[in-house]
């Protein structure tokens, strides 16, 4: 079956088509981004977000272009966005005067008010996670609260790595929808 028929099936929500596309293009996109980032963790995050965006915007894909080229373009944009976010979070002035430098280091300890807000946000997030189906709750728990790698989650669940990636991708998208609906 040619790739466009899998893409058409994925547009209709066919799970096996999503799995096929992820399996077929994961290594290519991952390899491309690993050369750019030289960081496996960043690469994995970029590739997951790339497929999430691609699957969300699959209806915009135009078959006259190669699917892998379209995915790589998305990955490049995700990488650029990640770099911009990081650039905006670095704000220490570097000077030769050590005293001046020490005074410009931001205090990262949370005030009592910030700690209360963090706890309230965490409580809201946990409420939203509870609205997910149990198998989605489980992958969110394993990845973000137990901080397991994708391979460790696959081993823990006894599922193929590609299934774990897709399940986590869907869980994050569903969770984002739930959070948006509560605003």
């Amino acid at each position: 079956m040619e790739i466009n028929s899998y893409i058409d099936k994925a547009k209709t929500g066919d799970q096996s088509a999503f799995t096929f596309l992820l399996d077929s293009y994961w290594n290519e996109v991952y390899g491309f981004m690993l050369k750019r980032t030289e960081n496996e963790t960043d690469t994995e995050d970029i590739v997951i977000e790339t497929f999430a965006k691609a699957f969300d915007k699959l209806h915009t894909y135009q078959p006259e272009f190669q699917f892998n080229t379209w995915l790589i373009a998305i990955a490049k944009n995700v990488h650029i966005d990640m770099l911009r976010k990081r650039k905006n979070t670095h704000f220490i002035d570097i000077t030769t005067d050590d005293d001046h430098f020490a005074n410009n280091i931001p205090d990262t300890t949370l005030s009592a008010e910030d700690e209360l807000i963090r706890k309230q946000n965490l409580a809201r997030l946990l409420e939203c996670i509870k609205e997910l189906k149990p198998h989605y709750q489980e992958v969110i728990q394993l990845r973000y609260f137990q901080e397991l790698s994708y391979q460790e989650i696959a081993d823990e669940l006894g599922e193929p790595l590609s299934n774990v990636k897709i399940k986590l991708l869907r869980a994050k998208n569903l969770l984002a929808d739930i959070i948006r609906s509560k605003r």
Side-chain angles (χ1 to χ4, degrees):
M1 184 182 290
E2 75 173 51
I3 199 69
N4 286 335
S5 55
Y6 282 104
I7 294 169
D8 290 339
K9 283 184 173 187
K11 286 179 181 178
T12 66
D14 184 314
Q15 298 296 322
S16 63
F18 282 120
T19 302
F20 175 82
L21 292 171
L22 185 75
D23 288 343
S24 297
Y25 291 100
W26 177 271
N27 289 339
E28 183 176 351
V29 177
Y30 185 90
F32 176 83
M33 287 313 304
L34 186 58
K35 287 178 186 171
R36 289 177 70 110
T37 67
E38 298 177 349
N39 180 306
E40 290 180 11
T41 303
D42 286 348
T43 298
E44 198 169 81
D45 290 342
I46 291 167
V47 175
I48 293 239
E49 190 171 339
T50 296
F51 279 97
K53 287 183 181 223
F55 290 159
D56 283 345
K57 303 290 184 189
L58 200 54
H59 64 280
T60 66
Y61 169 69
Q62 301 197 4
E64 61 264 17
F65 301 106
Q66 292 290 323
F67 190 66
N68 59 343
T69 305
W70 185 67
L71 287 171
I72 294 293
I74 294 171
K76 286 179 183 178
N77 290 332
V78 169
H79 183 220
I80 290 167
D81 289 345
M82 182 186 80
L83 293 174
R84 284 182 185 145
K85 286 177 189 171
R86 283 189 182 160
K87 180 181 176 193
N88 290 336
T89 60
H90 296 104
F91 54 87
I92 296 174
D93 289 329
I94 298 175
T95 66
T96 56
D97 183 1
D98 289 338
D99 289 335
H100 182 71
F101 177 74
N103 290 330
N104 284 331
I105 295 176
D107 182 8
T108 58
T109 58
L110 296 177
S111 68
E113 182 179 291
D114 290 337
E115 182 63 28
L116 179 62
I117 291 170
R118 188 191 66 74
K119 286 180 181 176
Q120 289 173 342
N121 286 341
L122 180 59
R124 280 192 219 123
L125 177 62
L126 292 172
E127 286 174 23
C128 292
I129 290 172
K130 286 179 184 175
E131 292 184 32
L132 294 171
K133 291 181 180 176
H135 62 278
Y136 289 139
Q137 288 179 31
E138 185 175 31
V139 294
I140 293 283
Q141 169 71 21
L142 292 171
R143 179 68 177 153
Y144 297 105
F145 293 97
Q146 294 183 23
E147 298 182 350
L148 297 182
S149 70
Y150 293 98
Q151 187 59 57
E152 289 170 330
I153 295 170
D155 295 342
E156 173 90 14
L157 300 177
E159 293 185 15
L161 184 60
S162 61
N163 285 7
V164 169
K165 291 174 185 174
I166 289 175
K167 195 180 286 186
L168 190 57
L169 178 69
R170 292 227 169 83
K172 287 178 7 183
N173 287 338
L174 290 170
L175 184 58
D177 290 343
I178 292 168
I179 291 169
R180 275 193 289 272
S181 72
K182 293 195 179 267
R183 286 188 180 167

